[in-house]
Amino acid sequence: MVVTDNFQERVKRASQVGRLLLRRPPSSPKYHLVFEGGTGRFLSFAVLMLNREIPKDRRGDPWFEDGNIILLTDLEESGIAFKVHRGVLSRHSEIFKTMFELAQPPDAENVDDCPVVRMPDLPNELSSLIIALYDGVGLIDDFFYVAGILRLSSKYCITHLRTQAIRHLTQTWSNTLRGHDEMLELALKTPAVDNLSYPFVHPLHVLNLARATDVRVVMPSALYFLSLYPLTDLLRGDHPKLQVEHPSRPSSDLTAQDLEEYTLMFQYRINKMLDFVRRTCAERTPAKDCTNDGQCVKPFTRLAARLSLEWVARTGPLHFMVQAMDEVVSYPNICVPCRKEFRQDVTAARQEAWKSLPSAIGLPPWEELEASDLEGA
């Protein structure tokens, strides 16, 4: 085997912080490298150039034997390679198309008659993205899988995958009041798993993922649920949901912007709670067609007094209003017309609270957020 001067010089530069030794076992025609010290960053490159093949334990999924380009995740510890078809990737992404069309230098990496393209991405995320491009996105039940798809589809401008990932996030971190109610109902009846409650993901991870990928449509809901956590717990950062280990886990850090918007949303919740208790309950007047000679006001006054003692800092006003509305149904000393009017007023209060949720943190209306993040689905 001939090792070119050019390659020797590159290996020399790459191994300046350690010792890179070439060894060939007597029974093998292939050279192997032993790296002593340093980062080992260029180990995978040297193996490729010497052996002209990707070891089977470094081949990721997918690996197509008839592929015509190899994507290699460029990691410090090791890289995983994916042999794919450049035409398939180029069809879905202008970024991939442009990247593959760039002229390759004379000494460019080439393995198995395929050019090698370095990818500064996590192997699990790149694998998920490529499989989704070939096979489509199937049933999604893993937040971290979605996080990886969202990151790379945003990075490589693959609009349809990005939109699908965002739509999946909105199934939990909803952009509609109905979706919010359905998620909360599911959370209340789903048993904990490993001491983690549904949806098994911390809203801070959702918020930081949304910021990193510029997805604003899930931010109001994520911050609403984040504001239910005590600030002292968030500052400690020791919640079990924040401690979950996964390569695609978003940041668990609470930024200055997070803290500001947490405070705004916290105050928003409290104000909605107080307004509901005072205006919708305590200050009620009888319905025009009240059949109880106006005496229905008294039960509502007692309801308001009790509600003002029951809510706590972690109470969500949207569900709190539903509970009050359901409770009034069973009050025998409130007439049917007054109950009906109360239900209408509570429904209107919830709709108004949801409509104004984005503005609580300085975001535009839901319609604008949806048009920006969900169009093109």
Side-chain angles (χ1 to χ4, degrees):
M1 173 182 175
V2 177
V3 180
T4 65
D5 292 338
N6 179 268
F7 175 68
Q8 288 176 332
E9 180 61 27
R10 293 178 69 177
V11 169
K12 180 180 178 181
R13 291 198 305 268
S15 61
Q16 287 177 347
V17 292
R19 296 179 61 208
L20 185 60
L21 308 177
L22 291 177
R23 292 179 181 171
R24 180 171 64 85
S27 60
S28 174
K30 299 178 181 179
Y31 283 79
H32 299 268
L33 293 119
V34 178
F35 197 93
E36 298 179 354
T39 65
R41 177 179 174 83
F42 291 89
L43 180 59
S44 59
F45 167 78
V47 170
L48 291 175
M49 294 302 293
L50 289 170
N51 292 339
R52 297 291 180 178
E53 70 175 22
I54 302 290
K56 289 186 177 180
D57 63 348
R58 303 280 289 281
R59 298 180 183 181
D61 180 23
W63 179 274
F64 298 105
E65 292 298 336
D66 64 342
N68 54 16
I69 195 165
I70 293 175
L71 308 183
L72 178 65
T73 56
D74 194 9
L75 300 178
E76 295 269 339
E77 302 83 2
S78 62
I80 299 297
F82 304 89
K83 191 175 184 181
V84 296
H85 306 90
R86 59 186 297 171
V88 173
L89 272 62
S90 297
R91 178 182 180 183
H92 293 286
S93 167
E94 286 294 328
I95 302 296
F96 279 137
K97 181 179 180 181
T98 302
M99 184 167 57
F100 297 155
E101 289 176 348
L102 293 176
Q104 298 295 315
D107 60 347
E109 298 170 79
N110 194 287
V111 177
D112 196 21
D113 294 326
C114 294
V116 176
V117 178
R118 295 279 178 163
M119 306 293 291
D121 304 309
L122 292 173
N124 66 299
E125 295 187 355
L126 186 58
S127 173
S128 297
L129 181 78
I130 297 172
I131 291 174
L133 288 177
Y134 276 88
D135 302 336
V137 178
L139 180 64
I140 303 175
D141 60 357
D142 186 301
F143 168 76
F144 298 115
Y145 168 80
V146 176
I149 291 287
L150 181 56
R151 283 195 193 94
L152 294 196
S153 62
S154 300
K155 177 180 180 179
Y156 296 114
C157 298
I158 306 174
T159 304
H160 73 284
L161 288 185
R162 173 179 162 87
T163 303
Q164 287 183 56
I166 296 173
R167 286 202 178 279
H168 177 78
L169 287 178
T170 60
Q171 291 177 14
T172 302
W173 314 94
S174 185
N175 55 309
T176 68
L177 179 57
R178 180 178 179 179
H180 168 88
D181 291 343
E182 291 174 349
M183 190 279 271
L184 195 56
E185 181 180 356
L186 187 58
L188 292 173
K189 68 181 183 181
T190 301
V193 177
D194 296 330
N195 294 322
L196 299 180
S197 60
Y198 184 88
F200 314 117
V201 177
H202 200 287
L204 182 57
H205 284 162
V206 179
L207 180 61
N208 284 337
L209 173 66
R211 293 202 195 286
T213 54
D214 193 26
V215 177
R216 298 185 298 170
V217 73
V218 300
M219 288 183 180
S221 181
L223 273 160
Y224 178 86
F225 285 103
L226 184 67
S227 73
L228 299 178
Y229 287 79
L231 182 56
T232 51
D233 291 356
L234 295 176
L235 293 175
R236 283 200 309 270
D238 59 357
H239 192 282
K241 290 182 181 180
L242 293 176
Q243 303 299 314
V244 175
E245 293 294 336
H246 194 283
S248 296
R249 188 188 75 184
S251 171
S252 298
D253 295 334
L254 190 69
T255 67
Q257 185 176 3
D258 295 336
L259 185 58
E260 177 185 347
E261 294 181 355
Y262 168 92
T263 304
L264 291 172
M265 186 61 76
F266 185 95
Q267 187 63 54
Y268 179 83
R269 283 195 304 107
I270 301 302
N271 287 340
K272 289 301 176 184
M273 204 94 62
L274 295 175
D275 285 348
F276 171 71
V277 172
R278 184 180 70 253
R279 297 179 182 178
T280 309
C281 298
E283 298 177 357
R284 290 202 69 75
T285 57
K288 291 182 179 181
D289 51 351
C290 176
T291 60
N292 204 16
D293 295 329
Q295 296 303 308
C296 295
V297 172
K298 293 180 180 179
F300 282 115
T301 302
R302 290 193 294 270
L303 173 67
R306 189 173 57 76
L307 291 178
S308 65
L309 297 176
E310 287 185 350
W311 72 269
V312 296
R314 294 194 62 185
T315 300
L318 294 169
H319 185 61
F320 187 68
M321 294 180 194
V322 171
Q323 290 176 310
M325 183 169 56
D326 292 342
E327 183 177 332
V328 166
V329 173
S330 63
Y331 279 23
N333 50 352
I334 297 180
C335 70
V336 173
C338 285
R339 289 184 207 168
K340 181 179 179 181
E341 189 172 278
F342 180 69
R343 174 174 289 273
Q344 293 172 343
D345 290 345
V346 173
T347 300
R350 295 183 76 240
Q351 291 173 343
E352 187 280 327
W354 183 261
K355 182 179 180 180
S356 59
L357 194 65
S359 64
I361 52 174
L363 289 178
W366 285 113
E367 295 79 8
E368 186 173 331
L369 297 177
E370 292 161 1
S372 174
D373 291 337
L374 297 174
E375 63 182 8

